[in-house]
């Protein structure tokens, strides 16, 4: 039996699960000594597969590397080992494995990319090109290789070859546009600013990688000597996109406003890193191809370890796969001088919140706001308290935010008013809350959240019921898949004694938001009103499993003891 056949048989064999458990849990030398070579291979391969299922990246890398050491003729297994080593940041192991894979199959694209990127990062351009030359049917890897290969040509002054590579980039409209962006950058480097601007305009129209395109076009205008034009264009971009108060756009604006040029000279390696970073999130992560996104970002950081945008995006991916310790390390590696420092520190705070380390999170947010004050940092402080239902402390923060904004700014972004309205409502300042919600709707009549919140609260208070129903129905039209908003409509019917209609809406709401304690609790209430007492009790018990507020928990416990009447009878 060949090793590849053995692997296939292992995957299909019913005994594989028992072997997997043995491979994952035993550490005894006697087991290793008494197991056949195929058995050890099975165990390590299946343990790697199980680690992949559990999203244990380090274990996956360890087991696949061991399995490949036993089956070096299996290039597909070798590629898994290379990729797994790369995605835990073990560049030395990924290089070693890639060399071993290419010894068996010189055309394997992942290994060629790993070694080519490593050579390019070290400034060995011809050696990098040697790895990149052979084509592959693996479209994802061909895109990665071509994006980097084009910049190796630029590094050697072969701009025409680079343009040919970028123009021929496959993968559809998105990547054709990415090729246009790379061409615009290299034309600007060569001093052809007019043609470069035409390329940048093509990318703007496609609406891909808007910030990277704006920054590239701004650098080009600055390099051409048109400082005022660069400032005007970037100012307009910032205003159209909500005004950047942190990040590289703000950093560029600060320099240009002094009348000085940007004087930013990116190396070909740095440009290649940016070329890989943009599609990582703009295409692969958006299409849920998270492994490809991580590979692109890891390669980007190999080319430019200081590219903090790639580090932050990689951290976001790692958080999504239960690797928050690794993500935290990436965020903590962002220097205070980086334009991405605020994003990094907000991400650190979010990890603390996810771990229920609220005090640490708030310390990070307060320190960040003290050192890098902006609307973003102040709003993050307010949102943190709002989410944790600390409305008393959140209110003055949102009060200051609203007061700091002009009427025009509030029209563009009425969210601070909406959140202040919530704080007013929760602190029993209802008249003030209504004013804020109504102002939000004046600026944005189709704001589903404000329509829902004001309509729901009016219904709950028994006020303005006709207008409230209209608001909630409009909110449902705008957000038909929002369980919270559909719940509001169901609750409105409930408050009017229309229990059958309430039941239908609340059952829909629970289906849309099956882990909302509030919605499940409401469904229990309507079941009780319909005489379905056992089902009501079941829903109330379920609601307790989904982290209700303290007030909701107290009420649910009373209902479980004495039914809905026990709560309705309360003053």
């Amino acid at each position: 039996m060949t090793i590849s056949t053995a692997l296939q048989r292992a995957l299909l064999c019913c005994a594989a699960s028992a072997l997997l458990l043995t491979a994952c849990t035993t550490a005894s030398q006697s087991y290793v000594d008494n197991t056949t070579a195929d058995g050890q291979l099975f165990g390590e391969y299946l343990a790697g597969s199980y680690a992949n299922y559990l999203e244990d990246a380090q274990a996956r890398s360890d087991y696949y590397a061991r399995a490949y050491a036993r089956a070096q003729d299996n290039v597909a297994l070798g590629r898994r080992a290379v990729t797994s080593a790369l995605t835990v940041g073990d560049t030395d192991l990924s290089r070693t494995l890639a060399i071993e894979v290419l010894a068996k199959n010189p055309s394997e694209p992942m290994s060629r990319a790993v070694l080519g990127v490593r050579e390019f990062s070290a400034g060995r351009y011809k050696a990098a090109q040697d790895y990149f030359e052979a084509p592959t049917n693996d479209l994802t890897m061909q895109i990665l290789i071509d994006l980097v290969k084009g910049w190796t040509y630029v590094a050697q002054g072969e701009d025409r070859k680079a343009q040919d590579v970028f123009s021929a980039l496959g993968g559809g409209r998105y990547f054709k546009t990415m090729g246009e962006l790379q061409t615009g950058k290299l034309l600007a480097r060569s001093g052809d600013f007019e043609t470069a601007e035409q390329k940048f305009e093509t990318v703007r129209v496609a609406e891909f990688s808007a910030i990277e395109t704006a920054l590239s076009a701004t650098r080009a205008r600055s390099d051409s000597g048109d400082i005022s034009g660069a400032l005007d264009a970037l100012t307009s971009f910032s205003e159209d996109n909500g005004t950047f108060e942190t990040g590289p756009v703000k950093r560029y604006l600060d320099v240009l406003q002094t009348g000085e040029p940007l004087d930013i000279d990116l190396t070909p390696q740095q440009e290649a890193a940016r070329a890989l970073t943009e599609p990582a999130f703009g295409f692969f992560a958006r299409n849920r191809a998270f492994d490809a996104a991580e590979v692109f970002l890891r390669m980007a950081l190999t080319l430019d370890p200081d590219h903090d945008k790639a580090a932050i995006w990689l951290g976001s991916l790692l958080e999504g796969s239960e690797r928050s310790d690794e993500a935290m390390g990436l965020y903590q590696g962002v220097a205070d001088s980086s334009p991405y420092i605020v994003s990094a520190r907000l991400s650190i705070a979010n990890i603390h919140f996810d771990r229920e380390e609220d005090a640490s999170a708030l310390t990070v947010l307060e320190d960040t706001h003290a050192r890098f004050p902006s609307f973003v940092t102040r709003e993050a402080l307010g949102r943190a308290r709002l989410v944790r239902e600390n409305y008393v402390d959140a209110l003055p923060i949102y009060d200051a935010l609203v007061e700091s904004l002009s009427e025009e700014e509030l029209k563009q972004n009425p969210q601070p008013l909406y959140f202040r309205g919530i704080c007013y409502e929760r602190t029993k300042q209802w008249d003030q809350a209504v004013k804020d919600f109504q102002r939000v709707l004046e600026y944005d009549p189709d704001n589903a959240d404000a329509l829902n919140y004001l309509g729901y609260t009016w219904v709950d208070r028994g006020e303005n019921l006709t207008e409230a129903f209209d608001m909630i129905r409009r909110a449902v039209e705008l957000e038909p898949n929002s369980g919270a908003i559909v719940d509001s409509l169901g609750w409105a019917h409930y408050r009017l004694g229309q229990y059958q209609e309430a039941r239908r809406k609340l059952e829909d709401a629970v289906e849309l938001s099956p882990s909302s304690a509030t919605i499940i609790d409401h469904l229990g209430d309507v079941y009780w009103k319909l005489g379905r007492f056992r089902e009501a009790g079941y829903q109330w018990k379920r609601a307790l499993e989904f982290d209700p507020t303290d007030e909701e928990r107290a009420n649910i416990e009373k209902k479980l003891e004495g039914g809905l009447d026990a709560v309705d009878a309360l003053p």
Side-chain angles (χ1 to χ4, degrees):
M1 181 186 300
T2 66
I3 287 177
S4 60
T5 304
L7 282 172
Q8 293 170 8
R9 179 174 175 179
L11 287 171
L12 297 172
C13 183
C14 293
S17 58
L19 182 57
L20 172 59
L21 290 174
T22 305
C24 290
T25 59
T26 186
S28 69
Q29 185 62 41
S30 61
Y31 168 78
V32 174
D33 292 342
N34 294 327
T35 303
T36 66
D38 275 357
Q40 291 175 35
L41 171 59
F42 294 166
E44 284 158 352
Y45 177 80
L46 293 173
S49 299
Y50 191 54
N52 184 53
Y53 171 75
L54 295 177
E55 298 185 338
D56 185 341
Q58 186 61 59
R60 176 185 63 190
S61 177
D62 292 343
Y63 281 118
Y64 280 152
R66 292 179 197 172
Y68 181 59
R70 299 180 185 279
Q72 292 202 342
D73 287 334
N74 192 307
V75 173
L77 178 57
R79 172 169 174 155
R80 289 194 183 194
V82 171
T83 305
S84 298
L86 178 66
T87 54
V88 292
D90 193 338
T91 55
D92 289 336
L93 178 59
S94 66
R95 174 180 178 273
T96 298
L97 290 167
I99 291 171
E100 293 173 356
V101 170
L102 292 186
K104 300 296 181 180
N105 182 353
S107 65
E108 199 287 305
M110 176 64 74
S111 300
R112 290 195 290 116
V114 166
L115 296 176
V117 164
R118 190 179 178 98
E119 293 295 320
F120 186 28
S121 68
R124 294 187 286 268
Y125 308 129
K126 183 63 175 66
Q129 284 178 358
D130 289 343
Y131 284 116
F132 294 149
E133 284 306 322
T136 175
N137 292 326
D138 184 329
L139 181 58
T140 298
M141 294 311 303
Q142 188 66 64
I143 290 167
L144 187 153
I145 287 170
D146 285 346
L147 284 170
V148 181
K149 180 170 69 174
W151 286 105
T152 66
Y153 283 129
V154 174
Q156 297 178 90
E158 299 182 88
D159 287 6
R160 184 66 259 172
K161 288 184 178 180
Q163 288 189 50
D164 290 343
V165 170
F166 294 143
S167 297
L169 206 62
R173 178 170 173 261
Y174 179 92
F175 290 103
K176 179 176 177 58
T177 304
M178 285 299 99
E180 293 285 323
L181 177 58
Q182 307 316 305
T183 301
K185 290 182 176 188
L186 76 85
L187 288 169
R189 292 172 67 92
S190 66
D192 187 354
F193 299 111
E194 183 176 347
T195 310
E197 175 56 31
Q198 292 173 5
K199 296 293 183 182
F200 294 141
E201 182 60 24
T202 298
V203 182
R204 288 191 199 100
V205 171
E207 298 183 340
F208 295 142
S209 296
I211 293 177
E212 180 65 15
T213 303
L215 295 175
S216 300
T218 300
R219 288 196 301 272
R221 287 195 177 188
S222 173
D223 290 345
S224 74
D226 185 9
I227 307 300
S228 62
L231 176 60
D232 290 345
L234 194 59
T235 299
S236 177
F237 173 81
S238 179
E239 290 173 349
D240 290 344
N241 289 274
T243 305
F244 291 82
E245 291 198 315
T246 66
V249 172
K250 178 65 163 59
R251 187 70 59 88
Y252 279 29
L253 287 171
D254 287 345
V255 174
L256 293 170
Q257 285 166 355
T258 68
E260 296 295 319
L262 289 172
D263 194 24
I264 297 173
D265 186 18
L266 297 178
T267 67
Q269 289 92 333
Q270 289 173 317
E271 290 286 22
R274 283 151 180 76
L276 296 183
T277 298
E278 293 306 304
F281 253 65
F283 183 84
F284 292 113
R286 182 170 293 176
N287 288 288
R288 306 189 66 78
F290 299 119
D291 288 345
E294 185 171 353
V295 166
F296 270 60
L297 291 170
R298 294 284 186 183
M299 297 281 199
L301 288 170
T302 299
L303 290 163
D304 182 6
D306 296 325
H307 187 32
D308 292 327
K309 184 176 185 178
I312 289 171
W313 280 4
L314 177 57
S316 177
L317 282 180
L318 296 177
E319 284 188 71
S321 58
E322 307 296 328
R323 296 159 69 184
S324 64
D325 287 343
E326 295 176 68
M328 181 74 87
L330 288 166
Y331 300 145
Q332 290 173 335
V334 176
D336 285 358
S337 59
S338 169
Y340 295 96
I341 183 60
V342 171
S343 294
R345 291 179 68 84
L346 294 182
S347 297
I348 290 170
N350 283 336
I351 289 178
H352 283 305
F353 279 131
D354 288 342
R355 294 174 177 175
E356 298 186 359
E357 299 166 352
D358 288 13
S360 296
L362 288 171
T363 297
V364 170
L365 291 177
E366 287 166 355
D367 178 68
T368 302
H369 181 59
R371 297 170 62 194
F372 312 102
S374 67
F375 175 91
V376 173
T377 55
R378 188 182 294 115
E379 205 278 333
L381 273 172
R383 187 77 64 96
R385 288 171 168 82
L386 193 71
V387 169
R388 277 144 192 84
E389 301 177 9
N390 185 353
Y391 304 108
V392 171
D393 288 345
L395 180 54
I397 295 174
Y398 281 107
D399 216 13
L401 271 175
V402 171
E403 293 305 316
S404 71
L405 298 173
S406 67
E407 190 79 4
E408 189 60 35
E409 288 171 328
L410 283 171
K411 286 180 181 179
Q412 292 179 351
N413 177 23
Q415 283 294 86
L417 274 173
Y418 172 69
F419 289 129
R420 188 175 71 172
I422 292 175
C423 293
Y424 277 136
E425 186 269 328
R426 293 293 176 164
T427 55
K428 312 300 182 185
Q429 302 178 65
W430 177 237
D431 290 343
Q432 294 291 91
V434 171
K435 290 178 183 177
D436 276 354
F437 293 138
Q438 288 177 331
R439 280 183 73 188
V440 172
L441 293 172
E442 177 186 342
Y443 300 146
D444 182 9
D446 287 337
N447 188 305
D449 290 331
L451 287 165
N452 178 59
Y453 203 107
L454 181 54
Y456 175 90
T457 310
W458 266 340
V459 166
D460 212 36
R461 293 168 62 90
E463 300 174 4
N464 304 319
L465 294 180
T466 300
E467 186 177 358
F469 253 99
D470 289 342
M471 285 182 169
I472 297 171
R473 288 194 182 100
R474 177 58 181 153
V476 171
E477 289 175 5
L478 293 166
E479 299 286 349
N481 295 318
S482 167
I485 292 177
V486 175
D487 169 71
S488 295
L489 186 54
W491 194 243
H493 285 294
Y494 175 90
R495 296 291 287 181
L496 292 179
Q498 300 166 354
Y499 300 126
Q500 287 292 357
E501 185 61 26
R503 174 190 61 77
R504 285 190 285 270
K505 296 300 181 186
L506 291 171
E507 287 175 342
D508 289 344
V510 168
E511 187 173 342
L512 290 166
S513 298
S515 59
S516 168
T518 300
I519 298 174
I520 295 168
D521 178 32
H522 285 170
L523 182 58
D525 288 1
V526 78
Y527 280 157
W528 183 274
K529 288 292 189 181
L530 291 169
R532 296 163 61 171
F533 305 125
R534 181 176 297 178
E535 291 170 274
Y538 171 74
Q539 296 299 334
W540 290 331
K541 287 177 183 177
R542 279 210 322 128
L544 290 176
E545 299 173 4
F546 293 105
D547 195 26
T549 66
D550 292 342
E551 182 179 355
E552 286 175 332
R553 181 176 295 278
N555 285 336
I556 291 169
E557 288 172 348
K558 287 185 176 71
K559 287 185 282 193
L560 286 170
E561 290 177 7
L564 189 58
D565 296 339
V567 175
D568 288 344
L570 293 175

